[in-house]
Amino acid sequence: MTTDYTAIHVLIREVPKGEVASYGMIASLLPGVGPRMVARAMWTAPKDLKWYRILTSSGAPADHSGAEEQRRRLKKEGVAFKKNGAVDWAQCRWRGPSQKWVDKSGREIEEVMEIIAGWKK
């Protein structure tokens, strides 16, 4: 059985240059999707998807062969890292999807805003 990860890929495209999101942040906006499913979706991602903007909840790249490439690309986009190797969430956390995405999702803006408010640690 093949899983359709299109909705995940569409949402990842919402994360702009210089900002990052966690697997959990992406999952929180998609009903029935968990962080691991977002991670699996990366394996089938279109070549032009900016996969490197998605990190673990700790703010560090996942432990995979592309971790150093991910870090390099993020630094090139101006993403700040702390001494411990995690991104500085306060400076580069994704602010959430566009109004266009919200409208297409069928979710109420208030619900999306509540989810986003939960991202702040």
Side-chain angles (χ1 to χ4, degrees):
M1 182 175 126
T2 305
T3 304
D4 183 5
Y5 296 119
T6 304
I8 295 170
H9 297 153
V10 166
L11 189 53
I12 290 170
R13 289 186 191 286
E14 290 280 316
V15 182
K17 179 179 180 179
E19 293 182 22
V20 293
S22 71
Y23 297 102
M25 290 166 67
I26 297 297
S28 69
L29 291 165
L30 298 167
V33 173
R36 288 185 180 177
M37 188 177 205
V38 174
R40 283 192 302 271
M42 301 306 232
W43 290 101
T44 63
K47 292 196 185 301
D48 66 333
L49 190 74
K50 307 299 189 221
W51 59 270
Y52 53 88
R53 294 179 184 158
I54 311 303
L55 302 164
T56 64
S57 61
S58 70
D63 186 20
H64 57 78
S65 61
E68 283 308 311
E69 176 68 11
Q70 185 173 18
R71 190 178 307 282
R72 186 189 65 72
R73 288 181 184 208
L74 289 172
K75 285 181 179 179
K76 188 175 179 180
E77 287 191 354
V79 172
F81 284 84
K82 297 180 190 178
K83 288 182 181 181
N84 68 359
V87 297
D88 186 344
W89 284 117
Q91 290 186 18
C92 59
R93 178 184 276 118
W94 179 43
R95 292 177 183 91
S98 66
Q99 184 65 50
K100 182 178 177 181
W101 182 90
V102 173
D103 293 343
K104 284 185 174 185
S105 75
R107 299 185 95 162
E108 295 295 326
I109 187 67
E110 294 82 8
E111 180 185 8
V112 172
M113 289 172 65
E114 253 183 61
I115 291 168
I116 292 169
W119 295 347
K120 311 293 184 216
K121 291 184 177 181

Coordinates of all heavy atoms in Angstrom, one line a residue, residues 8 11-16 19-30 33-42 50-62 70 74 79 86-89 92-97 115-116 118-121:
I8 N 1.4 16.7 3.1 CA 2.5 17.0 3.9 C 3.5 17.8 3.0 O 4.0 18.8 3.5 CB 3.2 15.7 4.4 CG1 2.3 15.0 5.4 CG2 4.6 16.0 5.0 CD1 2.7 13.6 5.8
L11 N 2.3 21.4 2.6 CA 2.5 22.2 3.9 C 4.0 22.5 4.1 O 4.3 23.7 4.5 CB 2.0 21.4 5.1 CG 1.9 22.2 6.4 CD1 1.2 23.6 6.2 CD2 1.2 21.4 7.4
I12 N 4.9 21.6 3.8 CA 6.3 21.9 3.9 C 6.7 23.0 3.0 O 7.6 23.9 3.3 CB 7.2 20.6 3.7 CG1 7.0 19.6 4.8 CG2 8.7 21.0 3.5 CD1 7.6 18.3 4.6
R13 N 6.1 23.1 1.8 CA 6.4 24.2 0.9 C 6.0 25.6 1.5 O 6.5 26.6 1.0 CB 5.7 24.0 -0.4 CG 6.2 22.9 -1.3 CD 5.5 22.9 -2.6 NE 5.9 21.6 -3.3 CZ 7.0 21.4 -3.9 NH1 8.0 22.3 -3.9 NH2 7.2 20.2 -4.5
E14 N 5.2 25.6 2.5 CA 4.8 26.8 3.2 C 5.9 27.4 4.1 O 5.9 28.6 4.5 CB 3.6 26.6 4.0 CG 2.3 26.3 3.3 CD 1.7 27.6 2.7 OE1 1.6 28.6 3.5 OE2 1.3 27.6 1.5
V15 N 6.9 26.6 4.4 CA 8.0 27.1 5.3 C 9.0 27.9 4.4 O 9.6 27.3 3.6 CB 8.7 25.9 6.0 CG1 9.8 26.4 6.9 CG2 7.7 25.0 6.7
P16 N 9.1 29.2 4.7 CA 10.0 30.0 3.9 C 11.4 30.0 4.2 O 11.8 29.5 5.2 CB 9.4 31.4 4.1 CG 8.9 31.4 5.5 CD 8.4 30.0 5.7
E19 N 13.5 30.2 7.8 CA 12.7 29.7 8.9 C 12.7 28.1 8.9 O 12.9 27.5 7.8 CB 11.2 30.2 8.8 CG 11.1 31.7 9.0 CD 9.7 32.2 8.9 OE1 8.7 31.4 9.1 OE2 9.5 33.4 8.6
V20 N 12.4 27.5 10.0 CA 12.4 26.1 10.1 C 11.2 25.7 10.9 O 10.6 26.4 11.7 CB 13.7 25.5 10.8 CG1 14.9 25.8 10.0 CG2 13.9 26.2 12.2
A21 N 10.8 24.4 10.7 CA 9.7 23.8 11.4 C 10.1 22.4 11.9 O 11.1 21.9 11.3 CB 8.4 23.7 10.5
S22 N 9.4 21.9 12.9 CA 9.7 20.5 13.3 C 8.7 19.6 12.6 O 7.7 20.0 12.1 CB 9.6 20.4 14.8 OG 8.2 20.5 15.2
Y23 N 9.1 18.3 12.6 CA 8.2 17.3 12.1 C 6.8 17.4 12.8 O 5.8 17.3 12.2 CB 8.8 15.9 12.3 CG 10.1 15.6 11.6 CD1 11.3 15.7 12.3 CD2 10.1 15.3 10.2 CE1 12.5 15.4 11.6 CE2 11.3 15.1 9.6 CZ 12.4 15.1 10.3 OH 13.6 14.9 9.6
G24 N 6.9 17.6 14.1 CA 5.6 17.8 14.9 C 4.8 19.0 14.5 O 3.6 18.9 14.6
M25 N 5.4 20.1 14.2 CA 4.7 21.3 13.8 C 3.9 21.0 12.6 O 2.7 21.4 12.5 CB 5.7 22.4 13.7 CG 6.3 23.0 14.9 SD 7.7 24.0 14.7 CE 7.0 25.5 13.9
I26 N 4.6 20.4 11.6 CA 3.9 20.1 10.3 C 2.7 19.1 10.6 O 1.6 19.3 10.2 CB 4.9 19.4 9.3 CG1 6.0 20.4 9.0 CG2 4.1 18.9 8.1 CD1 5.5 21.7 8.3
A27 N 3.0 18.1 11.4 CA 2.0 17.1 11.7 C 0.8 17.7 12.5 O -0.4 17.3 12.2 CB 2.6 15.9 12.6
S28 N 1.0 18.6 13.3 CA 0.0 19.2 14.1 C -1.1 19.9 13.3 O -2.2 20.1 13.7 CB 0.5 20.2 15.1 OG 1.0 21.4 14.5
L29 N -0.8 20.3 12.1 CA -1.7 21.0 11.2 C -2.5 20.1 10.3 O -3.4 20.5 9.6 CB -1.0 22.1 10.4 CG -0.5 23.2 11.2 CD1 0.6 24.0 10.4 CD2 -1.6 24.1 11.7
L30 N -2.1 18.8 10.3 CA -2.7 17.8 9.4 C -3.4 16.7 10.2 O -2.7 15.9 10.8 CB -1.7 17.3 8.4 CG -1.0 18.3 7.5 CD1 0.2 17.7 6.8 CD2 -2.0 18.8 6.5
V33 N -2.1 12.9 11.0 CA -0.7 12.8 10.7 C 0.1 13.0 11.9 O -0.1 13.8 12.8 CB -0.3 13.9 9.6 CG1 1.2 13.9 9.4 CG2 -1.1 13.6 8.3
G34 N 1.1 12.1 12.1 CA 2.1 12.2 13.2 C 3.5 12.6 12.7 O 3.7 12.6 11.5
P35 N 4.3 13.0 13.6 CA 5.7 13.4 13.2 C 6.5 12.3 12.4 O 7.2 12.7 11.5 CB 6.4 13.6 14.6 CG 5.3 14.0 15.5 CD 4.1 13.2 15.1
R36 N 6.3 11.1 12.8 CA 7.0 10.0 12.0 C 6.5 9.9 10.6 O 7.2 9.6 9.7 CB 6.8 8.7 12.7 CG 7.7 8.6 14.0 CD 7.7 7.3 14.6 NE 8.5 7.3 15.8 CZ 8.6 6.3 16.7 NH1 8.0 5.2 16.4 NH2 9.4 6.5 17.7
M37 N 5.2 10.2 10.4 CA 4.7 10.1 9.0 C 5.3 11.3 8.2 O 5.6 11.1 7.0 CB 3.1 10.3 9.1 CG 2.5 10.1 7.7 SD 0.7 10.1 7.9 CE 0.2 9.1 6.5
V38 N 5.5 12.4 8.9 CA 6.1 13.6 8.2 C 7.5 13.2 7.8 O 8.0 13.4 6.7 CB 6.1 14.8 9.1 CG1 6.9 16.0 8.4 CG2 4.7 15.3 9.3
A39 N 8.2 12.5 8.7 CA 9.6 12.0 8.4 C 9.6 11.1 7.2 O 10.5 11.2 6.3 CB 10.2 11.4 9.6
R40 N 8.7 10.1 7.2 CA 8.6 9.2 6.1 C 8.3 9.9 4.8 O 8.8 9.5 3.7 CB 7.5 8.1 6.4 CG 8.0 7.1 7.4 CD 7.0 5.9 7.4 NE 5.7 6.2 7.8 CZ 5.2 6.3 9.0 NH1 6.0 6.0 10.0 NH2 3.9 6.5 9.2
A41 N 7.5 11.0 4.9 CA 7.1 11.7 3.6 C 8.4 12.3 3.0 O 8.4 12.5 1.8 CB 6.1 12.8 4.0
M42 N 9.4 12.6 3.8 CA 10.6 13.1 3.2 C 11.3 12.2 2.2 O 11.9 12.6 1.3 CB 11.6 13.5 4.3 CG 11.0 14.5 5.3 SD 10.4 15.9 4.6 CE 11.3 17.1 5.5
K50 N 12.1 21.8 -0.1 CA 13.1 22.2 0.8 C 13.1 21.4 2.1 O 12.8 21.9 3.2 CB 12.9 23.7 1.1 CG 12.8 24.6 -0.1 CD 14.1 24.6 -1.0 CE 14.0 25.6 -2.1 NZ 14.5 25.3 -3.3
W51 N 13.4 20.1 2.0 CA 13.3 19.2 3.1 C 14.2 19.6 4.3 O 13.9 19.3 5.4 CB 13.8 17.8 2.6 CG 15.2 17.9 2.0 CD1 15.6 18.1 0.8 CD2 16.4 17.7 2.8 NE1 16.9 18.1 0.6 CE2 17.5 17.9 1.9 CE3 16.7 17.4 4.1 CZ2 18.8 17.8 2.3 CZ3 18.0 17.4 4.5 CH2 19.1 17.5 3.6
Y52 N 15.2 20.3 4.0 CA 16.2 20.6 5.0 C 15.6 21.7 6.1 O 16.2 21.9 7.1 CB 17.5 21.2 4.4 CG 17.3 22.3 3.5 CD1 17.3 23.6 3.9 CD2 17.1 22.1 2.1 CE1 17.1 24.7 3.0 CE2 17.0 23.1 1.2 CZ 17.0 24.4 1.6 OH 16.8 25.4 0.8
R53 N 14.5 22.3 5.8 CA 13.8 23.2 6.7 C 13.0 22.5 7.8 O 12.5 23.2 8.7 CB 13.0 24.2 5.9 CG 13.8 25.1 5.0 CD 12.9 26.0 4.2 NE 13.7 26.8 3.3 CZ 13.2 27.4 2.2 NH1 11.9 27.3 1.9 NH2 14.0 28.0 1.4
I54 N 13.0 21.2 7.8 CA 12.2 20.4 8.8 C 13.2 19.7 9.7 O 14.1 19.0 9.2 CB 11.3 19.4 8.1 CG1 10.5 20.1 7.0 CG2 10.4 18.8 9.1 CD1 9.6 21.3 7.4
L55 N 13.0 19.9 11.0 CA 14.0 19.4 12.0 C 13.2 18.6 13.1 O 12.0 18.6 13.1 CB 14.7 20.6 12.7 CG 15.4 21.5 11.7 CD1 15.8 22.8 12.5 CD2 16.7 20.9 11.3
T56 N 14.0 18.0 14.0 CA 13.4 17.4 15.1 C 12.9 18.4 16.1 O 13.3 19.6 16.0 CB 14.5 16.5 15.8 OG1 15.5 17.3 16.3 CG2 15.1 15.4 14.9
S57 N 12.1 18.0 17.1 CA 11.6 19.0 18.0 C 12.7 19.6 18.9 O 12.4 20.7 19.4 CB 10.6 18.3 18.9 OG 11.2 17.2 19.6
S58 N 13.8 19.0 19.0 CA 14.9 19.6 19.7 C 15.6 20.8 19.0 O 16.3 21.5 19.5 CB 16.0 18.6 20.0 OG 16.7 18.2 18.9
G59 N 15.2 20.9 17.7 CA 15.8 21.9 16.8 C 17.1 21.4 16.1 O 17.7 22.2 15.4
A60 N 17.4 20.2 16.2 CA 18.6 19.6 15.6 C 18.1 18.8 14.4 O 17.0 18.3 14.3 CB 19.4 18.7 16.5
P61 N 19.0 18.7 13.4 CA 18.7 17.8 12.3 C 18.6 16.4 12.8 O 19.2 16.0 13.7 CB 19.9 17.9 11.3 CG 20.5 19.2 11.7 CD 20.3 19.4 13.2
A62 N 17.7 15.6 12.1 CA 17.5 14.2 12.5 C 18.9 13.5 12.2 O 19.7 13.9 11.4 CB 16.4 13.6 11.7
Q70 N 22.1 19.4 5.5 CA 21.0 20.1 6.1 C 21.5 21.3 6.8 O 21.0 22.4 6.6 CB 20.1 19.2 7.0 CG 18.9 19.8 7.5 CD 18.0 18.8 8.2 OE1 18.5 17.7 8.7 NE2 16.7 19.1 8.3
L74 N 20.9 25.3 5.8 CA 20.2 26.2 6.7 C 21.0 27.4 7.1 O 20.5 28.5 7.1 CB 19.7 25.5 8.0 CG 18.6 24.5 7.8 CD1 18.4 23.7 9.0 CD2 17.3 25.2 7.3
V79 N 19.8 30.8 9.0 CA 19.3 30.1 10.2 C 20.4 30.1 11.2 O 21.5 29.6 11.0 CB 18.7 28.8 9.9 CG1 18.3 28.0 11.2 CG2 17.5 28.9 8.9
A86 N 21.6 22.9 18.0 CA 20.2 23.1 17.6 C 20.0 24.5 17.1 O 20.7 25.4 17.4 CB 19.4 22.8 18.9
V87 N 18.9 24.6 16.3 CA 18.6 26.0 15.9 C 18.1 26.8 17.0 O 17.6 26.3 18.0 CB 17.5 25.9 14.7 CG1 18.0 25.2 13.5 CG2 16.2 25.4 15.2
D88 N 18.1 28.1 16.8 CA 17.6 29.0 17.8 C 16.1 29.3 17.4 O 15.8 30.1 16.6 CB 18.4 30.3 17.8 CG 17.9 31.3 18.9 OD1 16.8 31.1 19.5 OD2 18.7 32.2 19.2
W89 N 15.2 28.5 18.1 CA 13.8 28.5 17.7 C 13.3 30.0 17.8 O 12.4 30.4 17.0 CB 13.0 27.6 18.6 CG 13.0 26.2 18.3 CD1 13.5 25.2 19.1 CD2 12.6 25.5 17.1 NE1 13.4 24.0 18.5 CE2 12.8 24.1 17.3 CE3 12.0 26.0 15.9 CZ2 12.5 23.2 16.3 CZ3 11.7 25.0 15.0 CH2 11.9 23.7 15.1
C92 N 14.1 31.7 14.5 CA 13.8 31.1 13.1 C 12.7 30.2 13.1 O 12.4 29.5 12.0 CB 15.1 30.5 12.5 SG 15.7 29.1 13.5
R93 N 11.9 30.1 14.1 CA 10.7 29.2 14.1 C 9.7 29.7 13.0 O 9.4 30.9 12.9 CB 10.0 29.2 15.4 CG 8.7 28.3 15.4 CD 8.0 28.4 16.7 NE 8.6 27.4 17.6 CZ 9.1 27.7 18.8 NH1 9.2 29.0 19.2 NH2 9.7 26.8 19.5
W94 N 9.2 28.8 12.3 CA 8.2 29.1 11.2 C 7.0 29.7 11.9 O 6.5 29.3 13.0 CB 7.8 27.8 10.6 CG 6.8 27.8 9.5 CD1 6.6 28.8 8.5 CD2 5.7 26.9 9.3 NE1 5.6 28.5 7.7 CE2 5.0 27.3 8.2 CE3 5.3 25.7 9.9 CZ2 3.9 26.6 7.7 CZ3 4.3 25.0 9.5 CH2 3.5 25.4 8.3
R95 N 6.4 30.7 11.3 CA 5.3 31.4 11.9 C 3.9 30.8 11.5 O 2.9 31.2 12.0 CB 5.3 32.9 11.4 CG 6.5 33.6 12.0 CD 6.6 35.1 11.4 NE 7.7 35.7 11.9 CZ 8.9 35.7 11.3 NH1 9.1 35.1 10.2 NH2 9.9 36.4 11.9
G96 N 4.0 29.8 10.6 CA 2.7 29.1 10.3 C 2.4 29.3 8.8 O 3.0 30.1 8.1
P97 N 1.4 28.6 8.4 CA 1.0 28.6 7.0 C 0.3 29.9 6.5 O -0.2 30.6 7.3 CB 0.0 27.4 6.8 CG -0.6 27.3 8.2 CD 0.5 27.7 9.2
I115 N -3.3 26.1 17.3 CA -2.2 25.1 17.1 C -0.9 25.8 17.1 O 0.1 25.3 17.8 CB -2.5 24.3 15.8 CG1 -3.7 23.4 15.9 CG2 -1.2 23.5 15.4 CD1 -4.2 22.9 14.6
I116 N -0.8 26.9 16.4 CA 0.5 27.6 16.3 C 0.9 28.1 17.6 O 2.1 28.1 18.0 CB 0.4 28.7 15.2 CG1 0.2 28.1 13.8 CG2 1.6 29.7 15.3 CD1 -0.1 29.1 12.8
G118 N 0.5 26.8 20.4 CA 1.0 25.6 21.1 C 2.5 25.3 20.7 O 3.1 24.5 21.4
W119 N 3.0 25.8 19.6 CA 4.3 25.6 19.2 C 5.3 26.3 20.1 O 6.5 25.9 20.2 CB 4.6 26.0 17.8 CG 3.8 25.3 16.7 CD1 3.1 24.1 16.8 CD2 3.7 25.7 15.4 NE1 2.6 23.8 15.6 CE2 2.9 24.7 14.7 CE3 4.1 26.8 14.6 CZ2 2.6 24.8 13.4 CZ3 3.8 26.8 13.3 CH2 3.0 25.9 12.7
K120 N 5.0 27.4 20.7 CA 5.9 28.2 21.5 C 6.2 27.4 22.7 O 5.4 26.9 23.4 CB 5.3 29.5 21.9 CG 4.6 30.3 20.7 CD 5.7 30.7 19.7 CE 5.0 31.5 18.6 NZ 5.5 31.4 17.3
K121 N 7.5 27.3 23.0 CA 8.0 26.5 24.2 C 8.3 27.5 25.3 O 8.6 28.6 25.1 CB 9.2 25.7 23.8 CG 8.7 24.5 22.9 CD 9.9 23.6 22.7 CE 9.5 22.4 21.8 NZ 10.5 21.5 21.6

